[in-house]
Amino acid sequence: MSTEKTEREAIFSPKNIKLLTGPLNMSNPITVQILGICSALAVTVKMKPAIVMALALMVVTAFSNLVISFLRNGIPPRIRIIVQLVVVATLVILVDQLLKAFVFDVSKQLSVYVGLIITNCIIMGRLEAFAMANKPWPAFLDGIGNGMGYGLILIIVAFFRELLGSGTLLGFQVIPQSLYNAGYVNNGMMILPPMALITIGVIIWVQRYYNRSLIEK
Amino acid sequence: MKALRKFLDKQKPHFQPGGKFEKLQSTFEGFESFLFVSNTVTHSGAHIRDAIDMKRTMIFVVIGVIPTLLFGMWNVGYQHFLSFGQHPDILTNFLYGLGKVLPIIIVSYGVGLGIEFLFAQIRHHEINEGYLVTGILIPLIVPPEIPLWELAIAVAFAVIFGKEVFGGTGMNVFNPALTARAFLFFAYPGNMSGEKVWIADKLDSFSGATPLGQALVGNFHNFPTPHEMFFGFIPGSVGETSTFLILIGALFLLITGIASWRIMLSVFAGGLVMGLLFNLWGANQYMELPAWEHMIMGGFAFGAVFMATDPVTSAQTAKGKYYYGFLIGMMAILIRVFNPAYPEGMMLAILLMNVFAPLIDHIVVKSNIKKRLKRAKLMLAE
């Protein structure tokens, strides 16, 4: 271990790549760590808000991980949660203002959930579990990776909910009018939050089916 | 019969482990035990040996709903022709209804059993008889005009998410038939509620509102007589209208000992008590509706007899069954009268109490333990 520390690690060493790709599947924040479920249910009715939410969360996790990792040796352990919250809250306010400035309508749709990123378990979880014990660059990558893992699930859920619930994708009509004329009706339950939970359940089911090692004993 | 037996015996080795079609073993066994009584019985241990098995339980419930099903078919035709002001003979009515209801039954069984077989195959377990009952209950609790593709999706949803994810027959938390109905209700409200859906192909100018729908908007002129509601000459879901025939089915289930009289009794008691409370309150015309009329409107009787008594999803303890049923009855009337979005509260009341059934059992068992401990301590003290 001691020799490893002195060596300069490549920026995209296999270990660092794993920080990026791991959360997409084997350590996915939503389906494996079961964090951040609340916002995943709330913002996935349509794809556009889901994508914006995923980006917002990715920015916040990445940079809060980075900042906390820089400060990690200077933070007194007893007040670390408060320090973490200050950093996260600052970033969330920045993101919120940016969203309001550039994509106001989406910001309106996301409503309180942007502000609630502060309390998103993924962020606190990653800060506690990773950033407090790792160097800034891996911490930053870990933040990006977890943000992507969160975003991936959000986008999958939103894809099915928007397609089946509204017949659109990113606001464009996908299901042809002729199908509606033939008697097709949008599934009203897809718009309700319970269906988001069930969709996430199905994703977890499929994922566990292919990765048997994830099945809890 | 013998030839069939011989044929099956000849095919059997192919489906045993190591055979050509070993993957299809559970499908083969499903067909075999459907055609012949299974001859694998308990050989040892202190078991009560009785002819009553799951297959017989299920078949009895199916027999119990046959009267309401037949009447429901006739009523579908009767309501249809009534909306045009016609009164054809019984057979015409029945055949019209048969044409509407039979496809629903076929889709319900086809999709449901298909998924059951698939899961049995993938999970290498035997096919259970559980779907036999669910498959006949679903057509009885949907409107006659339900689009078949929507029904197919709802059945698939109910079997997969209401039953199979929990581990199949006997493990489910929610009544699968009601899960299918709840799915339809929330996913496709346009085809599950309102005035248009309860009469097949009705004349547009004819109001097709059910008594519940009328009561909810306070429209009490032209209200069906108790006689009409009791015998079921009203629009509604296929099998729920005739309280009289449902009670005959209930009698059959009680005599054969399949369904719990405790649950049935307490559901009706709960509904009556809630109705009487509303009568005392009497804030609007709906609340003043005689409490006993609630029992013969909508799906109350059907839910009490065939849905609440589902042995898997109801409370298991004798005392718990009283609480469970009573709360269903109260909740159903409460939702009916108070919530304008849900004209019929029975479905939601039963599903809600399905969730609480294990908790009720837990409390009953715990309180019993406590009581007995107290008694034991008293005896020790003496």
Side-chain angles (χ1 to χ4, degrees):
Chain A
M1 283 303 282
S2 55
T3 52
E4 238 177 9
K5 260 184 184 164
T6 49
E7 272 177 40
R8 280 193 67 83
E9 221 181 324
I11 291 180
F12 285 112
S13 67
K15 213 170 93 194
N16 285 346
I17 293 287
K18 211 163 169 21
L19 290 177
L20 277 177
T21 57
L24 290 182
N25 185 7
M26 295 305 278
S27 60
N28 190 286
I30 293 185
T31 61
V32 179
Q33 305 175 43
I34 317 288
L35 298 173
I37 295 280
C38 172
S39 57
L41 304 186
V43 301
T44 49
V45 178
K46 295 264 162 73
M47 273 186 84
K48 204 168 158 196
I51 291 170
V52 173
M53 181 72 185
L55 285 176
L57 189 111
M58 192 161 80
V59 169
V60 176
T61 22
F63 284 96
S64 60
N65 259 9
L66 183 72
V67 174
I68 291 296
S69 178
F70 270 123
L71 300 174
R72 72 185 187 280
N73 295 326
I75 301 175
R78 298 174 85 179
I79 59 160
R80 65 183 194 283
I81 302 278
I82 299 171
V83 177
Q84 288 165 5
L85 271 181
V86 170
V87 173
V88 175
T90 315
L91 285 164
V92 168
I93 290 168
L94 279 175
V95 167
D96 193 21
Q97 295 300 319
L98 279 174
L99 289 184
K100 276 190 181 137
F102 292 104
V103 277
F104 186 69
D105 54 327
V106 180
S107 163
K108 263 272 167 77
Q109 283 176 40
L110 289 172
S111 65
V112 292
Y113 290 96
V114 178
L116 283 178
I117 293 179
I118 299 172
T119 58
N120 193 309
C121 322
I122 296 173
I123 295 178
M124 294 301 285
R126 292 329 290 172
L127 290 178
E128 277 287 295
F130 200 88
M132 289 297 283
N134 285 283
K135 287 182 179 171
W137 176 243
F140 181 73
L141 289 181
D142 180 76
I144 297 266
N146 275 286
M148 287 198 302
Y150 172 84
L152 181 71
I153 301 297
L154 238 63
I155 288 166
I156 295 175
V157 174
F159 174 83
F160 286 111
R161 287 184 75 188
E162 187 173 353
L163 181 67
L164 300 174
S166 315
T168 58
L169 281 179
L170 286 168
F172 296 106
Q173 193 67 37
V174 179
I175 292 175
Q177 188 59 39
S178 53
L179 208 57
Y180 286 105
N181 296 342
Y184 178 80
V185 187
N186 285 330
N187 188 327
M189 201 161 160
M190 275 312 216
I191 299 173
L192 305 173
M195 224 41 202
L197 198 63
I198 290 173
T199 316
I200 291 177
V202 173
I203 294 172
I204 291 178
W205 187 0
V206 172
Q207 192 191 19
R208 301 284 201 277
Y209 185 80
Y210 286 106
N211 303 311
R212 296 270 160 177
S213 59
L214 289 174
I215 298 173
E216 292 89 353
K217 287 283 170 325
Chain B
M1 225 44 185
K2 239 180 195 158
L4 191 64
R5 181 71 259 175
K6 225 181 224 168
F7 174 75
L8 282 176
D9 284 341
K10 211 171 148 194
Q11 300 303 320
K12 205 165 190 174
H14 295 308
F15 292 95
Q16 298 298 334
K20 243 190 295 185
F21 305 114
E22 64 173 315
K23 282 205 174 122
L24 292 172
Q25 190 185 358
S26 53
T27 307
F28 177 79
E29 275 179 3
F31 278 111
E32 193 193 8
S33 61
F34 181 75
L35 294 169
F36 290 97
V37 173
S38 164
N39 57 358
T40 25
V41 291
T42 334
H43 292 295
S44 64
H47 298 290
I48 296 173
R49 282 168 217 173
D50 192 348
I52 187 120
D53 59 353
M54 211 199 310
K55 195 153 84 176
R56 178 170 291 185
T57 316
M58 300 291 177
I59 290 292
F60 275 3
V61 181
V62 173
I63 294 173
V65 299
I66 293 279
T68 71
L69 176 66
L70 293 179
F71 176 83
M73 287 177 177
W74 174 84
N75 193 41
V76 169
Y78 172 74
Q79 296 293 338
H80 165 75
F81 288 115
L82 189 69
S83 79
F84 288 94
Q86 296 165 350
H87 294 277
D89 56 308
I90 290 181
L91 197 66
T92 319
N93 281 338
F94 181 77
L95 285 179
Y96 181 85
L98 188 72
K100 286 280 171 198
V101 178
L102 202 59
I104 298 178
I105 298 177
I106 291 169
V107 167
S108 161
Y109 270 120
V111 174
L113 284 178
I115 292 170
E116 287 256 325
F117 273 59
L118 203 71
F119 268 85
Q121 219 57 263
I122 294 171
R123 294 187 169 163
H124 303 293
H125 64 63
E126 285 172 27
I127 293 155
N128 279 322
E129 295 89 339
Y131 194 75
L132 283 181
V133 169
T134 312
I136 197 76
L137 287 180
I138 290 174
L140 293 173
I141 52 174
V142 294
E145 277 290 86
I146 188 80
L148 294 176
W149 69 270
E150 290 178 3
L151 187 79
I153 292 176
V155 169
F157 179 86
V159 174
I160 295 174
F161 293 102
K163 202 156 103 180
E164 291 300 338
V165 292
F166 294 105
T169 304
M171 315 287 254
N172 43 313
V173 180
F174 299 107
N175 185 320
L178 282 180
T179 312
R181 192 180 199 281
F183 182 85
L184 283 173
F185 185 82
F186 287 106
Y188 307 108
N191 295 323
M192 281 300 284
S193 49
E195 301 192 349
K196 293 204 160 58
V197 301
W198 304 108
I199 300 178
D201 281 332
K202 75 180 177 70
L203 199 67
D204 279 342
S205 56
F206 190 80
S207 161
T210 60
L212 285 172
Q214 283 189 18
L216 202 60
V217 292
N219 173 15
F220 283 96
H221 73 258
N222 266 342
F223 204 66
T225 60
H227 171 268
E228 279 176 313
M229 291 198 284
F230 182 71
F231 287 98
F233 308 121
I234 47 172
S237 297
V238 174
E240 68 167 23
T241 54
S242 174
T243 312
F244 175 65
L245 290 167
I246 290 166
L247 288 180
I248 289 181
L251 205 63
F252 175 74
L253 290 186
L254 290 180
I255 290 171
T256 51
I258 301 291
S260 157
W261 62 269
R262 290 188 173 89
I263 293 178
M264 283 192 205
L265 186 75
S266 51
V267 173
F268 282 108
L272 268 179
V273 167
M274 201 68 205
L276 288 172
L277 280 178
F278 278 137
N279 285 352
L280 282 179
W281 189 352
N284 59 33
Q285 225 179 337
Y286 200 172
M287 286 190 188
E288 285 167 3
L289 190 78
W292 56 271
E293 267 190 46
H294 272 295
M295 312 290 105
I296 55 176
M297 283 161 66
F300 192 91
F302 191 88
V305 171
F306 296 113
M307 295 293 179
T309 54
D310 174 6
V312 178
T313 53
S314 64
Q316 308 292 326
T317 50
K319 219 193 230 170
K321 283 179 175 160
Y322 289 121
Y323 297 128
Y324 167 82
F326 195 79
L327 285 170
I328 287 179
M330 286 187 81
M331 212 82 80
I333 305 300
L334 187 75
I335 296 171
R336 266 187 192 177
V337 176
F338 265 128
N339 197 327
Y342 308 121
E344 175 56 299
M346 202 59 189
M347 168 184 83
L348 296 168
I350 296 175
L351 284 175
L352 185 70
M353 292 316 292
N354 281 169
V355 181
F356 284 103
L359 188 66
I360 294 173
D361 282 337
H362 177 80
I363 292 170
V364 169
V365 170
K366 281 280 158 192
S367 77
N368 194 36
I369 291 172
K370 235 184 190 167
K371 211 168 67 193
R372 298 189 65 161
L373 266 181
K374 224 176 180 176
R375 209 159 60 201
K377 271 182 195 150
L378 271 177
M379 280 168 75
L380 276 179
E382 275 170 16

